[in-house]
Amino acid sequence: MFRILVCDGMDKSAMVTLMDAGFEVIDEHYEVEELKVKVKEFDAMIVRSATKVRQPIIDAALETKRLKLIVRAGVGVDNIDVAYAMENGIEVRNTPNASSASVAELAIAHMFAVARHVHSANVTMRNDEWNKKQYKGIELNGKTLGLIGFGRIAREVAKRASALGMKVIYTDYLGEMEGYDDFAFKSFDDLLVEADFISLHIPFNAEKGAVLGKEEFAKMKDGVILINTARGGVVCEKALVEALDSGKVAAAGVDVFEEEPTKNEALYKHPKVSVTPHIGASTKEAQARIGIEIVDTITDFFD
């Protein structure tokens, strides 16, 4: 019987499906040192963002050579040392299709929150403050949204933003995409200059570091609004706080952080920032779809 370790939780019905298919499923989160011991006992492991599968974990698994598959329940795999795992005979898979709509909707939600001061008013009214005159917002309709990266999630954002009356422009390292003529491809620098809202949809690359830093903020429009539901690290948090303080960035919606849970109070307590604790894929629908993708991945792999 193949043993599956579910490190960070998953849809219960998907776990039942795996068990009905003959897999032994253990739903347990282990900290690093204990995981080094436990990982030797499993054929596959399923992780979300909380568990980091770095080289020491992989080395521990290689002692028994039992682990054959790591599945990331989500899109990004930057919490896994993918190349090292693959070099040592451990396959790495993700669930790229399941959470696109959920993350896209959260990005739009942050746009509305900061454009209409919902994030602030929701707090001040609970403190018995009626700050009506302070909360003159802006409409999304007629604004230009710049998407950095144009993969599955960005395309879902583009569709929703277009329906709201936004002009959508995008940049991507692959260049202009066929079949998306309603949205204009721009160079990275041109997008920074033209966009009223900027939303990031790219993975974090440790070698390259932040894509948006002090130099990039300087190129943006005064009063730009920034949304990051992609990955912590793609935006330099120090530079973002400075841009918020100066007014270069009027507001930001942030779901992901350089360190999670974040300790950067200057960012998450900033009055111009709408914050959520990395919940882009945290909807019932997305988790159910992720569960289905995981079941298909595991059953196909071990068939």
Side-chain angles (χ1 to χ4, degrees):
M1 179 182 290
F2 294 112
R3 302 187 78 221
I4 313 297
L5 175 61
V6 179
C7 295
D8 305 317
M10 66 179 286
D11 183 71
K12 299 302 180 186
S13 64
M15 284 196 283
V16 170
T17 302
L18 285 172
M19 289 186 281
D20 289 344
F23 294 93
E24 181 182 355
V25 180
I26 307 299
D27 182 13
E28 188 74 45
H29 178 78
Y30 296 108
E31 296 302 325
V32 174
E33 292 307 314
E34 193 171 6
L35 183 57
K36 287 180 184 178
V37 177
K38 294 294 183 180
V39 72
K40 303 172 188 178
E41 305 169 5
F42 291 90
D43 301 284
M45 62 190 299
I46 301 165
V47 302
R48 294 178 67 182
S49 56
T51 297
K52 316 299 182 189
V53 190
R54 301 302 183 200
Q55 185 171 333
I57 301 296
I58 296 168
D59 285 340
L62 292 173
E63 292 179 19
T64 58
K65 297 188 182 298
R66 183 168 180 175
L67 187 71
K68 297 300 180 185
L69 176 66
I70 302 168
V71 182
R72 167 69 166 91
V75 179
V77 290
D78 47 285
N79 58 319
I80 303 169
D81 284 345
V82 177
Y84 189 71
M86 300 282 279
E87 288 168 6
N88 286 280
I90 301 171
E91 290 293 318
V92 179
R93 307 284 173 81
N94 65 347
T95 58
N97 302 308
S99 59
S100 298
S102 295
V103 179
E105 289 186 5
L106 182 64
I108 296 290
H110 275 298
M111 291 182 205
F112 275 121
V114 296
R116 296 306 304 271
H117 303 286
V118 176
H119 65 299
S120 298
N122 189 262
V123 175
T124 56
M125 284 199 69
R126 294 170 193 271
N127 294 331
D128 300 319
E129 299 176 36
W130 187 265
N131 298 331
K132 182 175 181 178
K133 292 183 179 179
Q134 296 180 25
Y135 296 142
K136 182 180 289 185
I138 61 171
E139 296 177 358
L140 271 59
N141 178 50
K143 303 301 187 297
T144 298
L145 170 63
L147 300 171
I148 298 178
F150 201 62
R152 292 178 181 88
I153 295 171
R155 293 168 192 171
E156 292 295 326
V157 174
K159 288 191 294 185
R160 288 157 175 77
S162 182
L164 292 167
M166 302 186 83
K167 174 187 175 183
V168 179
I169 61 177
Y170 71 93
T171 191
D172 193 282
Y173 76 98
L174 292 176
E176 187 170 0
M177 304 288 185
E178 292 186 7
Y180 295 95
D181 296 339
D182 290 341
F183 315 124
F185 174 77
K186 300 286 182 176
S187 70
F188 178 72
D189 283 346
D190 284 347
L191 182 143
L192 296 181
V193 171
E194 295 179 26
D196 302 302
F197 288 71
I198 293 175
S199 185
L200 292 111
H201 301 282
I202 53 175
F204 175 64
N205 185 318
E207 294 181 4
K208 295 182 178 178
V211 171
L212 296 183
K214 188 172 183 178
E215 182 178 336
E216 289 72 29
F217 283 119
K219 296 177 182 178
M220 297 177 190
K221 285 185 177 181
D222 291 342
V224 68
I225 290 175
L226 182 73
I227 307 295
N228 187 11
T229 57
R231 277 291 180 269
V234 297
V235 177
C236 173
E237 292 181 357
K238 182 176 183 293
L240 174 57
V241 171
E242 290 175 353
L244 287 162
D245 289 341
S246 71
K248 166 59 78 169
V249 175
V254 184
D255 184 52
V256 289
F257 302 87
E258 292 176 353
E259 178 185 7
E260 296 184 356
T262 181
K263 298 181 178 65
N264 189 348
E265 292 190 16
L267 179 59
Y268 73 76
K269 290 187 177 181
H270 201 288
K272 296 180 180 179
V273 178
S274 171
V275 286
T276 46
H278 202 153
I279 60 170
S282 295
T283 64
K284 292 179 180 179
E285 295 86 350
Q287 291 307 307
R289 290 191 297 267
I290 287 171
I292 292 169
E293 277 201 61
I294 290 172
V295 168
D296 290 343
T297 298
I298 289 177
T299 53
D300 288 348
F301 184 84
F302 289 105
D303 185 6

